Amino acid sequence: MRTVPTILHLDMDAFYASAEQASKPSLRGKAVVVGGLGPRGVVATASYEARVFGVHSAMPMAQARRLAPNAAYLTPRFTFYRAISEQVMAMLRDLSPLVEPLSLDEAFVDLEAGGAAWDEESARLAGVRLRADIRAVTALTGSVGLAACKMLAKIASEQAKPDGLVLIEPGTERALLGPMSVRILPGVGPATGDHLRRAGIITVEEIVEAGEDEVVRLLGKAHGHGLYAMALARDDRAVVAERDTKSVSVEDTYDVDIHDRVRVRMEVQRLADRCVRRLRGAGLSGRTIVLKVRRYDFSTLTRSETLRGPTDDPAVVREAAARLLEAVDTTGGVRLLGVGVSGLADYTQEDLFAQAAGEPDLAEEESGSAAEEPVVEESAGGERLWRAGHDVRHTEYGHGWVQGSGLGRVTVRFETPDDVEPGRVRTFRTDDPGLEPAEPLPLVSGGVRG
């Protein structure tokens, strides 16, 4: 482990919600919740104003609405978030060739590898400049942690939130970690945390006091040795620039349980096609087809089939998924379905049993990510349903975003990121010929459009 704090961890602050607030002047300083808006939706991100009411990520959306009934509830715009993420990641790569993205809004950076920092002072300066650059380019804030290892850098960024910078000085690590909960350590989830608590171990210092042999006895060799080392602030994990993708998958949660077996089969076929689009978009193929089914009683079943060679053929993936479905009882109803491909490779091998004659070239179709978030959909009765939070343009009033839609009406607030004051609200018929979906505007004038 190095002796200077040149590992940086960046975590954007309430990323999705903050992007929405920056995009929509009327929501700045207000409680904003982003996620699935259906009865079974979950919170993806909540703004800090919403967190005051107890709303947090992964919470059921219905519970969030009870806690913060006056918050703005928006569906995600992942294409928009990815565009901002690409800007941020480009800034990180300017600092170092060793950037390890963990998600759209989070990454480790080895400052020493890029010559951006070599001691405590230069590391702090690099962090200060990065935060200023992010704000200038994206209008958003990020929290930065600096330490001599990845574990401590991530802990530091948590302490820095929101919109701050924390540097953990070498030599102070043990004193910092000691009183913290064992849950702060990587690899300690709810189950491991409860197991340690039952053994009387609640804090990191109590792991050290218990001794390595006792921790290994409680958790096993592989986990025990690693956890004890981290309790001593030892983390030799390197920043890895390229993280290998292990699988590609898609899944959908349904607002109402699906009981019709024909409908279930159709959904699996549709998910298989979406999965192949993602697979081809990444230039990959895979040997193992995976089906995920969550039933009405919340029991989750996973079935898989390994082919003789890697494939990105939609017919092969559909047929394998259909075979897997035949072995699953769905008579009580299905609330979630997913199709995935693992055992990935960067080449394909023709499957002798594929019946792909006349199959469309899915690589030329709309990408999976775009297909998941249409701005406007049609209801069963043919009514246009506009998604809350998404961008639209009206021939007379210009750019705006959907506040809500239903009963034949859509409410739009007309404003842009450059506006200082909230824009005006107008209501239209959902089939108004002057209203159409629009691309998001850049958060900063002259920026990259999402």
Side-chain angles (χ1 to χ4, degrees):
M1 196 172 92
R2 64 188 68 185
T3 58
V4 288
T6 52
I7 300 293
L8 180 147
H9 181 260
L10 170 71
D11 196 352
M12 299 295 288
D13 299 320
F15 182 48
Y16 301 164
S18 294
E20 297 296 349
Q21 288 175 317
S23 177
K24 302 171 172 64
S26 58
L27 298 184
R28 292 169 191 168
K30 306 288 181 63
V32 175
V33 181
V34 179
L37 302 189
R40 291 176 179 167
V42 297
V43 175
T45 308
S47 70
Y48 287 97
E49 295 85 355
R51 296 180 191 188
V52 171
F53 299 99
V55 181
H56 58 78
S57 59
M59 170 182 285
M61 191 61 78
Q63 182 180 356
R65 289 184 183 276
R66 289 194 295 270
L67 293 172
N70 296 320
Y73 289 87
L74 309 175
T75 53
R77 297 186 292 163
F78 287 112
T79 302
F80 178 50
Y81 307 147
R82 287 189 190 99
I84 301 171
S85 176
E86 287 169 5
Q87 292 177 304
V88 173
M89 296 301 165
M91 283 184 262
L92 299 184
R93 294 186 180 97
D94 286 341
L95 289 174
S96 172
L98 293 184
V99 175
E100 182 177 338
L102 304 179
S103 62
L104 290 179
D105 61 339
E106 183 181 3
F108 286 111
V109 184
D110 187 335
L111 296 175
E112 193 172 323
W118 50 90
D119 59 12
E120 182 178 327
E121 182 179 353
S122 58
R124 187 184 297 275
L125 183 59
V128 169
R129 286 176 175 167
L130 173 65
R131 293 180 57 243
D133 289 345
I134 289 173
R135 185 186 288 271
V137 172
T138 70
L140 303 179
T141 64
S143 295
V144 166
L146 292 156
C149 67
K150 290 168 72 172
M151 174 187 70
L152 291 168
K154 185 170 174 61
I155 290 172
S157 70
E158 271 304 313
Q159 292 186 321
K161 282 190 167 296
D163 191 20
L165 182 151
V166 168
L167 183 148
I168 298 177
E169 299 178 6
T172 67
E173 298 95 342
R174 287 281 305 279
L176 174 74
L177 282 177
M180 291 184 172
S181 165
V182 295
R183 290 290 302 278
I184 200 72
L185 299 178
V188 181
T192 301
D194 286 344
H195 189 53
L196 291 171
R197 180 181 54 78
R198 287 193 294 269
I201 299 174
I202 298 172
T203 67
V204 174
E205 185 57 35
E206 286 169 343
I207 291 179
V208 177
E209 292 171 354
E212 187 169 14
D213 290 344
E214 176 64 8
V215 177
V216 169
R217 186 188 70 80
L218 288 169
L219 303 178
K221 284 186 178 181
H223 199 182
H225 287 304
L227 190 62
Y228 185 76
M230 287 188 175
L232 294 173
R234 297 173 186 162
D235 179 13
D236 294 324
R237 294 175 300 159
V239 176
V240 181
E242 296 296 332
R243 295 167 62 87
D244 292 334
T245 301
K246 296 182 179 179
S247 64
V248 173
S249 63
V250 296
E251 62 181 44
D252 275 343
T253 300
Y254 303 100
D255 293 343
V256 178
D257 289 346
I258 302 175
H259 293 84
D260 182 356
R261 184 73 175 182
V262 174
R263 167 84 188 284
V264 172
R265 291 194 193 101
M266 291 176 60
E267 289 294 316
V268 168
Q269 300 295 292
R270 184 178 61 81
L271 289 166
D273 285 346
R274 275 174 51 194
C275 185
V276 169
R277 283 197 291 268
R278 285 192 175 183
L279 199 66
R280 288 184 169 185
L284 297 170
S285 60
R287 297 182 65 231
T288 301
I289 314 304
V290 181
L291 175 71
K292 178 180 177 182
V293 179
R294 181 167 297 149
R295 299 189 292 192
Y296 70 99
D297 58 358
F298 287 89
S299 61
T300 302
L301 303 177
T302 303
R303 300 287 184 267
S304 64
E305 175 182 320
T306 299
L307 309 174
R308 285 176 292 182
T311 185
D312 66 351
D313 190 313
V316 174
V317 176
R318 282 200 299 266
E319 289 168 9
R323 286 193 296 271
L324 294 170
L325 179 62
E326 291 306 312
V328 178
D329 180 10
T330 63
T331 53
V334 170
R335 59 187 295 120
L336 177 147
L337 289 168
V339 174
V341 178
S342 60
L344 301 182
D346 57 3
Y347 63 93
T348 61
Q349 177 174 313
E350 189 124 346
D351 191 293
L352 297 177
F353 295 95
Q355 297 177 357
E359 286 295 333
D361 185 359
L362 295 181
E364 295 180 0
E365 293 184 15
E366 189 175 30
S367 71
S369 59
E372 289 171 33
E373 45 175 293
V375 177
V376 60
E377 303 169 294
E378 274 198 10
S379 70
E383 178 189 347
R384 298 173 88 192
L385 300 176
W386 299 82
R387 291 167 67 96
H390 283 237
D391 297 85
V392 294
R393 177 169 293 279
H394 193 274
T395 52
E396 181 179 352
Y397 301 105
H399 189 93
W401 59 277
V402 177
Q403 284 197 325
S405 173
L407 300 176
R409 295 286 184 268
V410 55
T411 301
V412 178
R413 186 181 288 274
F414 291 96
E415 59 186 3
T416 72
D418 291 334
D419 293 339
V420 176
E421 298 294 330
R424 298 188 65 179
V425 176
R426 295 187 180 276
T427 299
F428 307 91
R429 298 193 318 272
T430 54
D431 60 354
D432 189 308
L435 191 65
E436 61 183 16
E439 292 294 316
L441 297 177
L443 296 181
V444 176
S445 295
V448 177
R449 190 179 296 271

